[in-house]
Amino acid sequence: MVRYIAENEVELSSKQIEQTEPPKGYLALLLKGRISQSLTLHETVNIGRDKNNAIVIADNKVSRSHAQLILVDDGFMINDLQSSNGTYLNNILIKQPTRLKDHDKIMLGDATFVFTISELVPDTQIDFEPAPEPKEFSSSSMSVSAKSSMIFLENQTILWIIFGCMTLTIIILLVIIAFLLGMFFAFPHLG
């Protein structure tokens, strides 16, 4: 369940945006691929499970203070507030404040939102490309060029190991020769 605390539900303050100013963006809640409701964004908004947030999401996967939509210039940035399960923007976990673009998909717990610049009509179908499934690495799924690059890298690594061993052997031999020459000149009667 998502609840939006509209302006008439919060205590009015001198910072509050005038009703005549157009919205800076919209946050549309998606349910089964359809717009459930569209939330108007005029200023910085906190999102989380706690009832003190402007947008409250009743989901245990959502932290009390989960994320923040920050008004910057004429747009918004999203910032994860060190939530337990993270904030995803277009199926990518965000670690720092990120600027939102029109039709960006935001996922908080099981709730999915779409950020838009223009208001979306409720019950509108929104189609997103499914997130690519993570694939396990296997050589059979690699292309020929990738396999040849891999072989080249393996061969190059082996060459560097051989080169390193040869260099170390030469240095050790030079130290032994220097030691023997030192012994020969220090004690000429031994030779």
Side-chain angles (χ1 to χ4, degrees):
M1 178 183 143
V2 175
R3 181 172 162 246
Y4 181 60
I5 301 177
E7 293 167 0
N8 60 358
E9 292 181 60
V10 296
E11 185 179 316
L12 294 175
S13 68
S14 60
K15 290 182 178 179
Q16 197 158 8
I17 307 297
E18 304 233 353
Q19 294 294 336
T20 58
E21 188 173 327
K24 305 289 186 195
Y26 297 89
L27 195 63
L29 175 65
L30 282 179
L31 290 176
K32 297 180 183 175
R34 295 193 171 280
I35 301 294
S36 169
Q37 61 183 348
S38 185
L39 314 172
T40 306
L41 302 173
H42 286 284
E43 58 188 8
T44 297
V45 175
N46 288 335
I47 305 171
R49 203 175 67 234
D50 190 68
K51 66 180 181 178
N52 293 324
N53 292 299
I55 299 174
V56 179
I57 304 172
D59 179 356
N60 286 333
K61 294 178 184 172
V62 174
S63 297
R64 288 183 182 92
S65 293
H66 195 101
Q68 185 177 49
L69 295 176
I70 306 162
L71 178 63
V72 288
D73 303 325
D74 282 335
F76 281 89
M77 294 182 80
I78 187 164
N79 185 29
D80 183 76
L81 301 175
Q82 298 177 344
S83 63
S84 299
N85 294 316
T87 300
Y88 290 82
L89 179 62
N90 299 322
N91 298 321
I92 298 171
L93 180 66
I94 61 168
K95 298 286 186 184
Q96 60 191 11
T98 307
R99 191 168 227 357
L100 291 172
K101 298 182 298 281
D102 196 27
H103 287 84
D104 272 347
K105 181 169 79 167
I106 300 167
M107 293 183 296
L108 310 161
D110 288 331
T112 302
F113 295 92
V114 176
F115 173 81
T116 60
I117 296 170
S118 58
E119 188 170 14
L120 294 174
V121 179
D123 208 35
T124 303
Q125 180 73 33
I126 300 288
D127 294 319
F128 286 106
E129 292 181 20
E133 293 294 323
K135 294 182 180 178
E136 288 189 30
F137 178 78
S138 71
S139 61
S140 63
S141 65
M142 293 174 60
S143 67
V144 173
S145 62
K147 286 180 183 176
S148 62
S149 296
M150 191 79 152
I151 292 169
F152 174 74
L153 288 175
E154 287 175 359
N155 289 343
Q156 195 175 21
T157 303
I158 292 170
L159 288 175
W160 277 108
I161 291 171
I162 293 170
F163 178 74
C165 290
M166 288 175 50
T167 304
L168 187 60
T169 304
I170 290 170
I171 291 171
I172 291 171
L173 287 174
L174 288 173
V175 169
I176 292 172
I177 290 171
F179 176 74
L180 290 175
L181 285 174
M183 292 290 288
F184 179 72
F185 287 115
F187 304 102
H189 61 282
L190 292 176

